[in-house]
DNA sequence: TATGAATGAGCATTCATTCAT
DNA sequence: GATGAATGAATGCTCATTCAT
């Protein structure tokens, strides 16, 4: 189950992401995946213990993509609010691009009764934002009377959920800009230090 | 597909909820459901067009429970903030009681690629809260410079997600009270009219 | 799992016996059996809980054949020794005819770790012979100082094993008559009342 | 396929015996065996041509154990009857200790359609007993009017089957002593020279 | 000799759905 | 409306075996 080898793990993982994005989790057979990956049926099981074991791996991959791209775009941003703006932009962008994978993660982890894995996977992202918030408090950008951990998780969820409502639940009675601005303002009003 | 008959629809629906709560969606067969319901295999198909047709029905049932119980508990409450308090209390209570069904709705609707049905099902709840908010604005309890629809959805999501994080993702590093208070304050700070 | 219906149980059972006799247990797939039986794949599982569940059923069938044919041929025989003779003749005949099934029962029950089922299946045969022996003792044909149950089982085993050694283990350095006579005499010398 | 090397053959063979005794033949994979033996997957095939090739080797090993231990315990015994007693004791002891292996031999050789291998493996044991019987006849301990080969095989079978009925088929309605005495007496009455 | 990653054929079993009664 | 026996497509997974190193 190692992630090393000569890259077979990644080859299979990405083949899985491709096929599942297209056909959905339950319509995708292991046979489809290995065909796409160009390996034998049995090889799949050298790297993943079961079909279900794919989901956390895919979710992990997705979070990594999100997290990395946020960190990259954050470079040079100084204020908490500009960082929040980046998070919103990137989350919307990635939700649009990977909406099928996001859905598959929801259903996959739910089916597997392992919703708690979400939290484990998101932990590094949570920790990172917690730190950002801590600094923002020190900079007196935001109020200090909040539960750090809870707030970090809630912000991430708020942003993700807003973009999922926009792209996945297909409620587009407003423009994307409205959604982005509303979520930004909602959070800002809640956290900003009264002047 | 009528909801009438002599109640077989409800018998089957609740048998389904019971069994699926226990075993999870994918481990539950139609056979399990009809056995529990005490009807014949074929009878299921007189009331539901397919296994997947169960999920929206269950989700609908769940929303109705939530919505009704919120409306009931709201009686006599005057301020927006006391209504919000009730919503939080009831949402946490129902999330605890029906967490397996909530999970099943996530996975079921995701599998079915019909996440948008969530929105349709939640519509009455959204509409109701939108009205509450509108009145609160008129009463000058909360700020007026917000997108009504978006805010209604976001509040409902925020509350639900907080309780799901608590009960489903099993992140209980704080007490339930902390979670309830944080979510209440987070929303209140964002919406309250500056005095 | 009832043996009734319109005979599907028997149809499948005999199809299974046919195919397995030919190809051996592990080379036979359920698919082969249902094809031969002319029923659908799933129908098999309406009558047998698993592939392994076939074996005891087949063994039972075989014992019934043996037992019935022995009882039939016994008609009119008066002495214990003539009955023993019939048992030997019939056992050799049936061993020859059904040797593949006998082998499959051995391996099937062994694989299944349910060797003890042999005894349960053979019980009626054992009981019947026990009675025969009891009468023979009363008639003073054989000695009385023996353990009835043990002796009944041992005689049946001796005869079966002799014929299996002849037909299955393919040790035919002697004629079948030698085998039959030896086993008859071996038992007779051991049990006959000294004159 | 040599039995020499630096003992890898024996290491693998005994690993196989251990694992199969525990899990049964069909639940045991080559992978289990090599893991236990501490060698690589491919190494197995340097010493055994296939999985099925294990069975005769294991059976052979088992017969050797039985045969050797009988020969050892026989030392100093003079009469045929005391030798028979040893055979019974040792057979019961070994059946108890190795019952899972005995079962595996049954199923393994049956599956393989090579029941006749039993006879080849047992040949030395048969030959040895044949000689014992021959001497007993010369000593006038037992009757002479018997087929030597057939009788040797039958005695061995009788004893083995009695102990298998006791330990494997789990019919323990009597004590082990009853079983041992009955089988001893059954044979003795059949063979002893009338005084 | 020894390795162990890779292979890929093979199959029991499940279960949503139908339909004759 | 109600039944439940029958269907048969569909697939995750195992595992004996190979072979390049």
């Amino acid at each position: 189950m190692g992630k090393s080898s000569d890259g077979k793990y990644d080859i299979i993982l990405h083949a899985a992401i491709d096929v599942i994005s297209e056909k959905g989790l339950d319509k995708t057979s292991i046979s489809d995946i290995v065909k796409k990956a160009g390996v034998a049926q049995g090889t799949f099981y050298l790297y993943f213990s079961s079909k279900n074991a794919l989901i956390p791996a895919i979710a992990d991959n997705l979070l990594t993509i999100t997290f990395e791209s946020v960190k990259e775009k954050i470079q040079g941003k100084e204020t908490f609010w500009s960082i929040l703006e980046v998070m919103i932009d990137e989350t919307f962008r990635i939700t649009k691009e990977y909406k099928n994978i996001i859905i598959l993660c929801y259903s996959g982890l739910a089916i597997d009764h392992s919703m708690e894995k979400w939290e484990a996977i998101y932990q590094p992202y949570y920790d990172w934002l917690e730190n950002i918030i801590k600094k923002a408090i020190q900079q007196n950008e935001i109020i200090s009377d909040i539960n750090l951990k809870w707030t970090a998780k809630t912000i991430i969820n708020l942003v993700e959920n807003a973009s999922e409502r926009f792209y996945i639940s297909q409620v587009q009675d407003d423009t994307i800009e409205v959604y982005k601005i509303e979520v930004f303002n909602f959070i800002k009003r809640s956290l900003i230090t009264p002047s």
Side-chain angles (χ1 to χ4, degrees), chain A:
Chain A
M1 218 76 50
K3 300 196 181 189
S4 56
S5 192
D6 67 312
K8 284 247 165 68
Y9 178 92
D10 286 324
I11 291 172
I12 294 170
L13 180 63
H14 286 102
I17 290 174
D18 283 357
V19 185
I20 297 176
S21 292
E22 232 182 87
K23 311 179 60 169
L25 180 61
D26 61 329
K27 303 286 183 195
T28 300
S29 64
I30 300 296
S31 167
D32 294 327
I33 294 170
V34 296
K35 220 169 285 166
K36 182 95 174 188
V39 300
Q41 193 86 357
T43 306
F44 177 88
Y45 291 91
L46 290 176
Y47 296 91
F48 297 91
S49 58
S50 71
K51 190 184 182 182
N52 280 345
L54 269 174
I55 316 300
I58 292 175
D60 193 62
N61 189 260
L62 182 64
L63 185 273
T64 302
I65 289 171
T66 308
F67 191 16
E68 292 304 321
S69 92
V70 166
K71 278 193 291 189
E72 192 195 317
K73 291 278 166 56
I74 236 69
Q75 304 299 342
K77 305 292 181 185
E78 303 248 313
T79 69
F80 177 76
W81 309 113
S82 59
I83 291 174
L84 180 59
E85 227 164 28
V86 168
M87 281 178 62
I88 293 172
D89 284 343
E90 288 307 292
T91 302
F92 271 75
R93 187 180 62 75
I94 285 166
T95 300
K96 185 180 184 184
E97 189 171 346
Y98 296 101
K99 57 193 245 183
N100 284 318
I101 298 178
I102 291 168
I103 290 173
L104 114 79
C105 290
Y106 272 118
S107 64
L109 293 178
I111 282 176
D112 209 28
H113 276 268
S114 52
M115 295 297 279
E116 72 283 0
K117 281 186 187 154
W118 269 128
E119 296 295 308
I121 290 166
Y122 268 67
Q123 203 56 55
Y125 195 23
Y126 289 157
D127 290 342
W128 171 85
L129 184 57
E130 204 182 318
N131 250 310
I132 300 283
I133 295 173
K134 207 180 294 180
K135 282 180 200 149
I137 293 175
Q138 288 163 357
Q139 305 287 333
N140 208 32
E141 289 184 288
I142 67 175
I143 59 174
S144 61
D145 186 22
I146 55 172
N147 180 314
L148 276 179
K149 280 185 195 306
W150 187 91
T151 307
K153 290 176 185 176
T154 297
I155 290 173
I156 288 172
N157 164 258
L158 253 172
V159 175
E160 290 199 338
N161 193 275
S163 62
E164 285 164 14
R165 239 165 32 229
F166 190 78
Y167 288 117
I168 297 178
S169 296
Q170 299 178 322
V171 184
Q172 305 181 359
D173 31 40
D174 296 300
T175 68
I176 181 174
E177 287 312 316
V178 170
Y179 266 66
K180 285 185 175 178
I181 291 170
E182 285 293 331
V183 72
F184 181 82
N185 286 338
F186 192 95
I187 295 169
K188 186 168 186 179
R189 288 193 311 263
S190 187
L191 297 183
I192 198 165
T193 318
S195 57

